[in-house]
Each structure stands twice: as C-alpha cells, then as structure tokens.
Amino acid sequence: DRDVTGVQTCALPISQLKSMDPRLAFEVYSSMAYCELELRRFEEAKSYAGEAQQHARTADQANRVETLLRYIERGEIASLRQ
C-alpha cells in the first residue's frame, strides 16, 4: 500500500513473522531492524538484526546485516539514509 508508513510497517504483528516464507525472512527481519533503528529502539533493532543474520542466505545479505549491526551498536541512523 502506497500510504503505509515505516512506523506502520514496524507495527506488523510479530505472530505473522513466525509463519512467513523462509525465503522472505531475511528481508523482513532486516527491514524490521531498520524500522526499530529509525525509532531509536536499539534493543529491538538488534534482536531483529540477529534474526536477519540467522536467515542470511548470501554473502551480500551477511554483509548487509553486519553493517546494520554496526550502525545499531553506534546508534547511527543518518548513515543509513544514503
């Protein structure tokens, strides 16, 4: 939906995440981690990033989540908006 905001995306029910297609898990969890980072909820962001890390299927995905984890640890947001 073109009118859905990032905050609304972050509010998706967690129960829906448990039953998602495993091939989509990395993208969903990394997106959720980014949303939580945007909201400055660092512990939640770290948790979602950990889930994304477990579901990374390629070297590129692994690198992306490592970068995201570094930003979370530093509490950096602006660097991700490039």
Side-chain angles (χ1 to χ4, degrees), residues 5 12-13 16-17 26 28 33-34 44-45 60 62 65 67 70 75 81:
T5 68
L12 291 173
Q16 289 182 356
L17 296 178
F26 172 81
V28 171
Y34 179 77
E44 292 88 345
D60 178 60
V65 79
T67 299
R70 282 194 301 274
R81 292 186 179 150

Side-chain angles (χ1 to χ4, degrees), residues 7-78:
V7 174
Q8 288 169 320
T9 301
C10 289
L12 291 173
I14 301 301
S15 61
Q16 289 182 356
L17 296 178
K18 302 292 183 195
S19 62
M20 85 176 94
D21 183 333
R23 295 172 292 179
L24 301 175
F26 172 81
E27 294 299 334
V28 171
Y29 284 120
S30 61
S31 294
M32 295 297 288
Y34 179 77
C35 285
E36 296 295 353
L37 180 58
E38 283 282 331
L39 295 171
R40 296 194 167 281
R41 296 193 302 216
F42 301 112
E43 287 304 312
E44 292 88 345
K46 189 173 183 179
S47 177
Y48 283 122
E51 290 290 333
Q53 194 170 40
Q54 290 180 14
H55 290 89
R57 297 165 54 112
T58 67
D60 178 60
Q61 289 177 335
N63 289 335
R64 286 171 47 200
V65 79
E66 285 297 324
T67 299
L68 180 56
L69 282 166
R70 282 194 301 274
Y71 287 127
I72 292 167
E73 289 298 318
R74 295 178 190 150
E76 294 179 7
I77 297 170

